[in-house]
Amino acid sequence: MYLRYREQSWETDAQPSSHRVSDGSRLSARRPDRFGIRVGNPMPSIELRGVKLHAITELQAIAHILDELDNKHGGVVVTPNLDHLRRYVADVNFRAMIAEADLVVADGMPLVWASKLQRTPLPERVAGSNLISSLSGSAAGRGRSVYLLGGSGDTAKLASDELMRRYPTLRVAGWYSPPMGFERDSHQMATIIASLSAAKPDIVYVALGSPKQEQLIARLLPILPDAWWLGVGNSFSFLCGDVKRAPLWMQHGGLEWVHRLYQEPRRLFKRYITSGIPFGLSLMARSTGKGLVNTIAPKLRRAKPMMLPSPEVPIPVPLAPARSPLGLSPALEAQITRAWPLSANDESERTDDAPPVGRLRAMVLLGGSVRANALSAATGRSVLDLPLDEDGSILNFWLAQAAETAKIANIDRLPVRVMVNQNSPEPRSADARYAGAYRVERDLSEYRGTGGLLRDISSGYADDDLILVVNAAQILLDPLSRVVSTLIRKAGDVAVISHEDGTPSGIMLVSCKTLRMIPERGFIDMKEQALPLIASKFEVRVVNLRRPTGLPVRSLEGYVQALHYYHRRRSGKPAVTDLLAEDWTPSFSLVEPGATVDASARIHDSVVLAGASVEPGAVLVRSVVCPGTIIRRDRTAVDQLITIDRGSRKVKRAVGSRQ
């Protein structure tokens, strides 16, 4: 699973997360890097009934979204109200969707009141029904486009007309109001995907009500990973005048729900009266109690003398902060061009009590998800089924690496458990010689998190057994056996690879006894939640390497670059020749069986998948051609992911524009 993790915590031991707000006012990019970790300093935030809310104003939220767009970073905005908070407490799946959002701001005065009662005041309410207008106005000034998805009847069109009336320079890339039950209709979903792919908006407003709009955003996110997605509830009806908003004095006084209940009593009675009022009273009581604790606790801490930790108690080892741009940075390029040998910071290695390598019981290969992997979504196959070399797919590569690792561990074989989530395509490209060496398994829960998944897996192993956890969407630059040997020498209960530039490798060696500490229920991500918990009792060791052990495969650019470095290294060539000169020497050309490529066509650092056709004289440069597409005679495609439009059966280009 490639679930996006929440930002690194800004709290210290002296500042419990329940009652301190960071005093930093400058928002920072929290874009997840290609390994799934947030980068940059986190935004100021508070916690309310387990929900992490960003303590920012509406203007700050707008500035953050537009600045991220300028940096080619997309994201998801969630604006929880009291009903969302109630659902968050009761529904683990909804809880995970909120946790994965990039920006979470309070839409509801009860949440603002509760934050003040617990002495962690939010600066103001940031309502989604206000954001759709104010953000659109600011987007118009930056030349950004918006798309309106949802609503009933023609409300999306009428709302788009109203936005253009208010902001004449605003670019409305499109609108669509799907019929009831569209999420179960493959034709309707294909229509939505085709419309969004053609429009390529910068901002997408989804007005379907919660949790349907959050579920749809999760499904569509890979189509436009660089756009910002906002669930805006009933805002289209507000904009076009079908439903009147409460007067400002009611909005500011927290009485907007009364106005809504008066307009739609039959639909909203249960939400506001039967469920909302009891939960709201409970929230206020909890917040009041927490506020008292937060007022008294600092005084008690000041009165209590500081105690140094005992030398026998293992101190948690923090992971290095992640930093990775969308493509390979100049620093990463420079590191890769250095000598290839693996080199770790061995100052803390303790080989005398290193765990026996023979205790290695399995490799857990996290097979990815369509939601988090745009390349997988575009090709319609698992990232593990993408071709790598003459031996076939990335899956075959990992299975071969597992076989070599078993040899150094002196065990008959290292079973590979390929984990995919419930909505991902199942990898099918394994060679016959690996029959019985692996099995594909689906997550038991859609939103369990990597930590929760590993906790569930650990029940089948003894406490002292070791499992190797690997993110599948990468191509290794070093043999897995060498990486495992390095991890073994660290002698920790958990050993994690980290690079000097701060990027994690997606490879860790874990003793199963440590995973017993992870809760049996709920969403638990490994890096942000499980590792700090494990480190409180067991020894977590970090292996700092001076260069990456692998390159991620989650986009066209990442896939082609990873293939480039992989094949150049195999042929003994330097990673980069002259950074100031163009390199016209192909490093690879991969044509799957079942693809048709004319002998006169030129394939330069490109991949042609089965079912695709390349006609005479065509030229492909750093591109991937998907099944069903035809590159016509004498045409050129550069830096393109070429797919078929399932609705019109026309070729479309997901990346680039030259053909």
Side-chain angles (χ1 to χ4, degrees):
M1 286 61 39
Y2 288 96
L3 296 177
R4 296 182 301 164
Y5 297 89
R6 288 175 287 182
E7 70 273 22
Q8 301 266 350
S9 175
W10 50 262
E11 297 92 2
T12 66
D13 291 339
Q15 296 171 319
S17 60
S18 60
H19 76 284
R20 283 298 302 267
V21 179
S22 169
D23 57 3
S25 59
R26 178 179 174 271
L27 302 185
S28 60
R30 294 169 46 257
R31 176 69 174 176
D33 71 6
R34 294 173 297 172
F35 297 86
I37 302 297
R38 304 290 182 195
V39 301
N41 296 323
M43 288 182 285
S45 62
I46 70 161
E47 189 173 303
L48 197 62
R49 286 303 306 268
V51 176
K52 182 165 285 189
L53 297 166
H54 291 110
I56 59 176
T57 65
E58 183 175 326
L59 290 178
Q60 287 176 315
I62 292 170
H64 176 66
I65 294 170
L66 296 178
D67 288 346
E68 288 286 87
L69 282 171
D70 290 343
N71 291 324
K72 295 182 170 36
H73 295 166
V76 177
V77 180
V78 176
T79 58
N81 55 28
L82 187 66
D83 187 60
H84 291 139
L85 198 64
R86 178 187 61 81
R87 191 179 296 116
Y88 177 95
V89 173
D91 185 346
V92 65
N93 291 339
F94 187 72
R95 188 181 313 161
M97 287 188 287
I98 298 293
E100 290 179 347
D102 296 271
L103 191 61
V104 184
V105 288
D107 180 352
M109 286 307 297
L111 274 63
V112 177
W113 296 336
S115 72
K116 293 179 179 179
L117 288 174
Q118 70 176 23
R119 303 295 191 270
T120 60
L122 292 168
E124 65 181 21
R125 175 194 182 200
V126 183
S129 48
N130 291 337
L131 266 179
I132 189 174
S133 181
S134 57
L135 177 58
S136 296
S138 298
R142 297 261 194 116
R144 295 295 181 178
S145 61
V146 302
Y147 188 103
L148 286 76
L149 175 61
S152 58
D154 58 354
T155 55
K157 180 182 184 304
L158 295 175
S160 67
D161 292 341
E162 175 62 19
L163 287 175
M164 288 189 289
R165 186 191 67 80
R166 295 183 187 182
Y167 313 108
T169 60
L170 177 66
R171 292 192 295 122
V172 176
W175 57 268
Y176 187 67
S177 294
M180 292 290 291
F182 72 93
E183 67 276 12
R184 298 182 296 275
D185 187 331
S186 59
H187 177 71
Q188 281 293 329
M189 288 301 301
T191 300
I192 293 172
I193 291 171
S195 179
L196 285 168
S197 300
K200 292 182 172 59
D202 299 307
I203 300 169
V204 184
Y205 300 119
V206 184
L208 295 171
S210 184
K212 183 181 288 188
Q213 63 192 18
E214 287 81 17
Q215 293 167 347
L216 182 64
I217 289 172
R219 294 178 66 181
L220 297 179
L221 192 60
I223 305 302
L224 296 171
D226 294 333
W228 273 81
W229 301 74
L230 288 78
V232 293
N234 206 36
S235 297
F236 293 178
S237 297
F238 290 150
L239 273 176
C240 67
D242 281 359
V243 177
K244 293 184 179 180
R245 287 200 70 182
L248 287 177
W249 67 268
M250 296 188 77
Q251 295 180 38
H252 295 159
L255 297 174
E256 190 170 11
W257 67 274
V258 177
H259 188 269
R260 292 282 313 278
L261 181 63
Y262 175 77
Q263 290 182 303
E264 302 176 88
R266 182 170 298 179
R267 186 173 75 88
L268 298 177
F269 182 85
K270 182 177 180 181
R271 180 194 299 181
Y272 289 152
I273 303 299
T274 307
S275 302
I277 289 180
F279 181 80
L281 293 174
S282 171
L283 175 65
M284 298 307 163
R286 282 174 172 266
S287 299
T288 301
K290 188 171 288 187
L292 293 174
V293 172
N294 292 340
T295 301
I296 298 171
K299 299 178 181 178
L300 295 177
R301 283 198 301 271
R302 283 195 295 269
K304 185 178 180 179
M306 180 178 294
M307 300 295 292
L308 294 176
S310 169
E312 290 76 24
V313 178
I315 300 175
V317 179
L319 291 176
R323 185 201 63 78
S324 178
L326 292 177
L328 293 178
S329 67
L332 184 55
E333 289 276 4
Q335 288 175 342
I336 292 178
T337 58
R338 297 172 186 169
W340 286 107
L342 186 69
S343 175
N345 178 1
D346 295 330
E347 293 178 0
S348 58
E349 289 187 2
R350 297 183 293 119
T351 57
D352 292 341
D353 55 351
V357 70
R359 284 169 31 199
L360 189 59
R361 294 291 177 259
M363 180 167 84
V364 177
L365 194 60
L366 303 178
S369 67
V370 170
R371 177 176 178 223
N373 196 308
L375 186 63
S376 178
T379 58
R381 59 169 71 181
S382 167
V383 67
L384 287 166
D385 287 335
L386 295 174
L388 175 63
D389 53 25
E390 65 275 10
D391 290 329
S393 65
I394 295 175
L395 176 57
N396 283 321
F397 167 80
W398 283 117
L399 295 175
Q401 293 291 316
E404 289 299 317
T405 303
K407 292 179 182 178
I408 68 120
N410 197 26
I411 54 180
D412 292 335
R413 64 171 182 163
L414 179 61
V416 178
R417 302 178 66 174
V418 183
M419 309 302 301
V420 295
N421 74 2
Q422 295 178 1
N423 297 318
S424 297
E426 183 173 321
R428 304 178 183 276
S429 60
D431 192 275
R433 66 182 182 273
Y434 298 117
Y438 78 102
R439 70 173 184 264
V440 177
E441 303 173 55
R442 299 224 176 242
D443 300 357
L444 296 177
S445 171
E446 179 67 15
Y447 293 103
R448 186 70 170 101
T450 306
L453 169 69
L454 295 178
R455 171 63 176 84
D456 298 339
I457 288 175
S458 69
S459 61
Y461 299 99
D463 282 352
D464 291 332
D465 287 345
L466 300 174
I467 59 174
L468 179 65
V469 182
V470 179
N471 286 343
Q474 61 174 313
I475 295 175
L476 286 182
L477 299 178
D478 296 285
L480 184 63
S481 57
R482 293 181 59 195
V483 177
V484 172
S485 296
T486 303
L487 291 171
I488 287 287
R489 290 199 304 271
K490 273 297 175 177
D493 297 301
V494 176
V496 183
I497 296 286
S498 181
H499 305 128
E500 286 186 355
D501 69 344
T503 56
S505 71
I507 303 175
M508 65 177 69
L509 190 66
V510 185
S511 177
C512 290
K513 63 186 177 185
T514 67
L515 300 175
R516 316 280 195 242
M517 295 188 65
I518 300 175
E520 295 183 0
R521 296 181 181 179
F523 176 86
I524 305 292
D525 70 70
M526 188 64 183
K527 295 182 179 69
E528 295 292 311
Q529 294 173 287
L531 280 183
L533 180 63
I534 291 170
S536 66
K537 181 178 179 181
F538 297 100
E539 190 169 31
V540 176
R541 311 280 288 179
V542 178
V543 181
N544 294 307
L545 299 179
R546 62 182 178 84
R547 64 163 179 79
T549 53
L551 297 175
V553 180
R554 298 184 68 182
S555 65
L556 171 67
E557 183 183 11
Y559 180 41
V560 171
Q561 286 179 335
L563 289 175
H564 174 84
Y565 287 114
Y566 173 79
H567 284 278
R568 287 190 72 89
R569 188 186 179 199
R570 289 183 69 204
S571 62
K573 297 178 181 178
V576 176
T577 54
D578 182 0
L579 295 177
L580 300 179
E582 294 183 343
D583 178 19
W584 291 100
T585 304
S587 298
F588 66 92
S589 59
L590 298 177
V591 179
E592 277 192 329
T596 303
V597 177
D598 188 87
S600 65
R602 286 171 288 174
I603 313 297
H604 180 121
D605 285 0
S606 296
V607 178
V608 184
L609 300 179
S613 179
V614 182
E615 294 185 344
V619 178
L620 295 177
V621 180
R622 298 184 302 274
S623 297
V624 175
V625 187
C626 295
T629 57
I630 301 175
I631 307 301
R632 296 297 182 184
R633 181 185 297 268
D634 299 326
R635 291 296 185 93
T636 298
V638 180
D639 295 329
Q640 292 181 13
L641 177 58
I642 305 167
T643 63
I644 193 75
D645 188 320
R646 303 299 176 185
S648 64
R649 305 299 297 175
K650 294 181 179 179
V651 173
K652 65 178 182 178
R653 302 158 190 82
V655 178
S657 59
R658 289 171 287 177
Q659 183 178 356

